[in-house]
Amino acid sequence: MKIFNFFIKKIFLRRVVIAVSILLLILLSNYLIFISSRSVVSTMQGYEEIKQLNQKNSYIANLDPESDIAVDRITKDNTQRLYDHLKEEAVRYGILAEGFVIDMPNSQDMEITCSYLNKEYYDMNKQFAISQGEELDFGYDVDDSPVIPVWVGKGLSESYPLGTVTEVYEPVLQRNVTLKVQGILEPNIAHSNMYSLSSKQYYNFSVIVPVNEGFIRNADIDFQLQSLFDIILIDTTKDKVDEFAATIQDELGAKFNFCTQEENFEYFDDIFFSSMKIILVITVVLLVILSGIAVWSSLSSVRMMIKEFTINLFVGMQYSKLRKILYGYHGLLFLVNLLILLGITAHSRHGNWVRKDSYFCTFGFCGLISMDWIALLAVLVFDIILGAILVELMMWRIKKVPISLGVLQ
Amino acid sequence: MTKIIDLDVKEKVYKSKKATMSVLNDFKLEVNSGETIAVVGKSGAGKTSLLNILGLLDRNYRGSYQLFGSKTNEYGLDKLAEWRNQKIGFVLQESALIASLTIEDNIRLPLMYAGPEKNAMAAELDGIAGKIGIKHILNKKPLECSGGEKARAVFARAVILQPPLILCDEPTASLDGENKENILSLLSRMNEEYNTTVITVTHDMEVADRHQRKIRLQREM
């Protein structure tokens, strides 16, 4: 340790420019790996979620990009007739509607939103896991029952612990209802955007409301309309889907496309996997360039410090000791970089809390979530490989210089 | 008398793109403990090559070398380093100092690799520095010192661990009369008190005459 400290303080850090340039090069490559890995992990997570929803004989709705929808001309009768049509045709469907703000004071002073999902959607999507409480109950009667059972995110568990009963103004039903906390979601439960798989919103400050036919009937037009945009028609036929699309055209004056499982996978493969490939190729190319510069810098640093190295070897330092010191020094540089990355990520995650951006607030050590840790692990693996390459190249270069010549440089 | 060096060099070859040159052809050297030897000869005769081989800095030659009864050709790089630290003091030219360290840190360098049992040797530094007149520069950096002062600092570093074998490459080349005398006196005192073996490469016949034996190397034709 004494020798290591000596080398750090009196040899390496005396060459500030070299130390800083290597540090910056490593930081740049580490940041590149970090953001690419995180993006890939997030996309893969999103893809896994979509795979659960995109099932055989199911059709996912999507408003045709060429089609306009005149919202102000649509009445609740129009939208309700669409749900009635599905009921008459015995077509099962899954819906998820989000972003409805509800007034629920909480210890973090966050804006709370409700996410509504029906049983079919809940059964397909395995994202919703609870740490406390019971399964969602979709069997309540919104007309008669005074209480709607809900789940709340972990961020609300302090203000609304399991079993809490609270009366609130329900934004979709537009009347006061009583909510009962029936479950607490596990931390960082998220939902990926279906058409931007790497984008996520977190349910830590959300209320998950189970929705049934009665609820939909009593809900306002905004809810009914929003639910249609990503509605999933389950285990049905192409004829029935076409018929429903025609009904939408009649009622809303808008064209909806319903994509099959195959079409959706083709879309994801085209858009996401090709973009992931591009990200990976660019990342690899940049990494090769940055690693090349790092190798060049390291070999230059050997040239500049050869006298220091060889004088130490001359007076009795073993090559194996020097190798350990170089590994230790690079380990230290990588550790500093990892801490900087951790700091940047923690700062970014913490920013969501400061801005009260409830959809993006996450729980974890320094606010970091699994994808951050996986990305940091990827960085660590890269650093170990790069570190080994740099150190071995430096040792090779040092050994090439005879000690008797090196000391007289 | 114990034989501490038994060197048998068949050939030491230097190759460059333009030419190949060999030195120390069929060169044999046996040295007993406590001997002082001066190596003289013209430039290119192989004096420094000999010193590098004796100092375990160069193994790229044909032949064998036994030091303190051990075959050094069989040693790994780490063992050679350990021996350089424990058994050999090498007095090089003045420039062999680390510019970013103080003179004291430069002199202490071998202590760092010597292990805790040699910690007591650190106390020798003041004495040695006093004897060769560098006490006043211990806190200075090499760039702030004269050539002679740096040469003496290199000397102090070589003897700080009181090695049984001291190899000197032109140790007095940049010294004035008084400092030259100080260095030579210290070498003889170490030889007398600790039975230290000294091998010196020099062009200075006055220095060579202060040694018990002289070896003259001839340039290979």
Side-chain angles (χ1 to χ4, degrees), chain A residues 162-359:
Chain A
L162 191 65
T164 303
V165 174
T166 183
E167 191 176 319
V168 293
Y169 181 78
E170 215 294 327
V172 163
L173 297 174
Q174 297 189 340
R175 61 178 159 90
N176 281 343
V177 296
T178 303
L179 301 182
K180 183 185 177 189
V181 178
Q182 190 159 320
I184 309 288
L185 288 174
E186 281 185 0
N188 308 326
I189 296 291
H191 168 59
S192 301
N193 186 322
M194 211 176 281
Y195 296 99
S196 170
L197 294 182
S198 61
S199 311
K200 287 186 171 39
Q201 62 183 57
Y202 295 88
Y203 291 127
N204 287 323
F205 289 95
S206 293
V207 178
I208 307 292
V209 183
V211 163
N212 53 30
E213 269 180 42
F215 186 98
I216 295 170
R217 200 169 48 250
N218 281 276
D220 67 359
I221 184 171
D222 287 345
F223 171 86
Q224 288 197 340
L225 204 52
Q226 202 201 105
S227 300
L228 282 172
F229 284 116
D230 289 324
I231 194 168
I232 304 168
L233 304 183
I234 302 162
D235 205 11
T236 187
T237 61
K238 184 83 175 89
D239 289 345
K240 284 190 174 182
V241 171
D242 290 342
E243 203 179 310
F244 184 55
T247 311
I248 291 177
Q249 181 84 54
D250 291 345
E251 296 292 343
L252 309 181
K255 188 182 175 207
F256 271 57
N257 297 317
F258 284 89
C259 301
T260 62
Q261 184 190 41
E262 268 183 10
E263 285 166 340
N264 281 320
F265 278 134
E266 271 172 28
Y267 174 80
F268 293 131
D269 288 348
D270 280 356
I271 303 295
F272 294 110
F273 286 108
S274 61
S275 70
M276 266 170 64
K277 274 182 211 157
I278 291 168
I279 290 174
L280 287 175
V281 168
I282 291 172
T283 304
V284 168
V285 169
L286 287 174
L287 281 181
V288 168
I289 293 169
L290 288 170
S291 303
I293 299 172
V295 166
W296 177 80
S297 298
S298 296
L299 293 180
S300 301
S301 73
V302 168
R303 211 161 38 240
M304 293 173 82
M305 291 193 275
I306 193 68
K307 187 167 180 173
E308 283 90 333
F309 292 140
T310 47
I311 285 180
N312 278 280
L313 292 164
F314 175 70
V315 298
M317 182 173 65
Q318 298 171 336
Y319 279 104
S320 58
K321 187 86 187 168
L322 179 59
R323 176 179 271 113
K324 280 181 194 162
I325 288 169
L326 289 174
Y327 270 111
Y329 172 61
H330 284 84
L332 208 61
L333 289 180
F334 293 136
L335 181 68
V336 169
N337 272 308
L338 279 174
L339 289 175
I340 292 173
L341 274 184
L342 188 74
I344 292 171
T345 314
H347 181 261
S348 154
R349 295 278 181 207
H350 180 67
N352 296 321
W353 287 82
V354 173
R355 290 190 300 275
K356 305 282 179 197
D357 210 342
S358 60
Y359 269 145

Side-chain angles (χ1 to χ4, degrees), chain B residues 12-29:
Chain B
K12 164 70 192 165
V13 178
Y14 288 99
K15 279 183 187 167
S16 69
K17 282 177 188 167
K18 288 180 183 168
T20 301
M21 194 182 88
S22 73
V23 292
L24 303 173
N25 288 342
D26 292 318
F27 177 84
K28 287 186 172 60
L29 176 67

Side-chain angles (χ1 to χ4, degrees), chain A residues 334 380-390:
Chain A
F334 293 136
L380 183 67
V381 170
F382 171 82
D383 284 352
I384 290 170
I385 294 168
L386 180 67
I389 291 170
L390 293 182

